[in-house]
């Protein structure tokens, strides 16, 4: 309601401007807005997909993760989770949620476990990054940091080049961290590369304090995710992880960030695939 009838319209206009600029209208303040982007390509077996889902649930609900959240400046984070595979597949598992307590974290974990994963064809890390970036752009929160947490067991083989998606996300102020799954299983073993951790370092991650935590076997997975979340919540980087050199820097040994696309092309020619 606006008072002073003689000045009603100017006063209302000024009030509208004030409300539009009010922090409350910008969204709830959180320490970090975090997107969990989880690979469900068919290069992983159904058993591995289940281990992955349980590992994320265990990590999110870990008391250590909750403690890290509580120690933040605002004592809360915003987080959501989606699964990705080919360039057109991005399925929400848990919607944006504010986590500020053990109950919040447990509720998020329960939603992860309540859903069922179905493997999908192809691997588009670039598509996952672009989808995550759009989610963060529209997230209804005022966040000090906006982070994409992406896991995967192979290189990009569909969509735009992964470095193009990475560079665009980093240029918009986002941080991308990686969880390369250096495991063996599923039907897409032909797309495995032995240095997936280096691929993630050179081609996928980016932004201030970005880092990679490799997973060499599935027994390590829950602990790797837990550790990664704690670092992301605190805006830290593992001491043993070297500073990442952006792809556009040309000194040093070159790395083929299109290796996944090249493997796919070779397989397509060998087996006469039509897509």
């Amino acid at each position: 309601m606006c008072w002073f009838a003689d000045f009603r319209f100017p006063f209302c206009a000024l009030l509208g401007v004030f409300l539009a600029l009010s922090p409350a209208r910008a969204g709830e303040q959180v320490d970090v807005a975090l997107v969990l982007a989880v690979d469900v390509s068919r290069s992983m077996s159904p058993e591995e997909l289940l281990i992955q889902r349980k590992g994320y649930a265990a990590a999110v609900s870990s008391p250590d993760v909750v403690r890290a959240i509580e120690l933040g400046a605002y004592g809360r984070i915003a987080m959501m989770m989606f699964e990705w595979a080919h360039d057109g597949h991005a399925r929400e598992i848990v919607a944006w949620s504010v986590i500020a307590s053990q109950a919040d974290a447990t509720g998020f974990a329960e939603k992860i476990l309540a859903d069922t994963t179905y493997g999908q064809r192809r691997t588009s890390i670039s598509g996952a990054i672009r989808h995550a970036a759009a989610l963060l752009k529209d997230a209804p929160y005022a966040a000090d940091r906006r982070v994409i947490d992406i896991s995967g067991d192979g290189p990009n083989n569909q969509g735009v080049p992964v470095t193009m998606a990475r560079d665009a996300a980093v240029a918009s102020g986002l941080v991308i961290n990686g969880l390369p799954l250096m495991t063996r299983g599923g039907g897409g073993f032909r797309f495995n590369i032995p240095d997936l951790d280096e691929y993630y370092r050179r081609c996928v991650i980016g932004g201030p304090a970005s880092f990679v935590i490799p997973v060499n076997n599935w027994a390590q997975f829950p602990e790797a995710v837990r550790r990664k979340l704690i670092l992301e919540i605190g805006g830290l980087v593992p001491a043993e992880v070297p500073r990442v050199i952006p792809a556009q820097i040309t000194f040093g040994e070159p790395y083929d960030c299109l290796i996944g696309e090249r493997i796919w092309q070779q397989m397509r020619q060998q087996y006469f695939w039509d897509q």
Side-chain angles (χ1 to χ4, degrees):
M1 178 178 181
C2 296
W3 295 275
F4 309 114
D6 291 342
F7 304 96
R8 180 168 57 241
F9 296 114
F11 181 82
C12 288
L14 289 172
L15 180 60
V17 170
F18 174 80
L19 291 175
L21 297 175
S22 169
R25 293 291 296 273
E28 183 175 357
Q29 181 71 59
V30 295
D31 290 300
V32 59
L34 176 62
V35 172
L36 304 180
V38 181
D39 180 11
V40 294
S41 59
R42 287 180 183 167
S43 53
M44 288 193 286
S45 68
E47 293 77 18
E48 289 173 329
L49 292 174
L50 181 59
I51 292 171
Q52 179 174 246
R53 188 178 283 269
K54 289 182 176 179
Y56 271 103
V60 168
S61 59
S62 165
D64 291 336
V65 170
V66 175
R67 190 173 304 113
I69 293 171
E70 293 172 342
L71 290 174
Y74 302 102
R76 56 186 177 270
I77 69 169
M79 186 162 62
M80 70 86 59
M81 178 178 178
F82 75 90
E83 293 179 338
W84 61 272
H86 57 78
D87 194 42
H89 181 77
R91 188 172 73 91
E92 181 180 286
I93 303 302
V94 185
W96 279 114
S97 308
V98 172
I99 299 179
S101 67
Q102 184 65 59
D104 294 335
T106 299
F108 194 101
E110 289 173 348
K111 291 177 181 177
I112 294 176
L113 295 175
D115 197 272
T116 302
T117 292
Y118 300 97
Q120 301 288 324
R121 298 180 70 247
R122 305 294 294 269
T123 301
S124 182
I125 302 174
S126 59
I129 291 174
R130 294 168 76 181
H131 183 72
L135 290 170
L136 285 166
K137 179 181 178 182
D138 296 334
Y141 305 100
D144 287 350
R145 290 174 290 114
R146 294 176 181 260
V147 179
I148 300 171
D149 179 325
I150 190 162
S151 65
D153 74 337
N156 193 78
N157 63 40
Q158 190 191 41
V160 303
V162 66
T163 52
M164 183 181 297
R166 185 273 313 275
D167 292 347
V170 171
S172 70
L174 305 182
V175 174
I176 306 171
N177 295 323
L179 191 75
L181 308 177
M182 303 178 70
T183 55
R184 295 294 180 267
F189 64 91
R190 296 180 184 87
F191 295 99
N192 293 141
I193 58 175
D195 61 343
L196 186 64
D197 53 346
E198 185 67 9
Y199 174 87
Y200 263 70
R201 288 190 184 100
R202 301 286 288 272
C203 310
V204 177
I205 70 170
S210 58
F211 62 88
V212 167
I213 295 183
V215 174
N216 295 301
N217 63 72
W218 284 106
Q220 299 174 344
F221 186 78
E223 171 59 20
V225 178
R226 183 195 67 83
R227 182 176 174 222
K228 192 162 182 279
L229 289 174
I230 291 173
L231 292 168
E232 287 167 333
I233 291 164
L236 306 174
V237 63
E240 69 276 16
V241 175
R243 185 179 180 86
V244 175
I245 301 174
Q248 60 267 29
I249 302 300
T250 57
F251 59 83
E253 288 294 322
Y255 190 91
D256 183 9
C257 289
L258 293 175
I259 186 171
E261 287 84 349
R262 299 189 200 286
I263 293 173
W264 178 265
Q265 186 63 27
Q266 292 170 3
M267 297 293 293
R268 183 180 174 189
Q269 293 173 349
Q270 181 177 355
Y271 294 103
F272 303 101
W273 292 343
D274 60 357
Q275 56 177 336

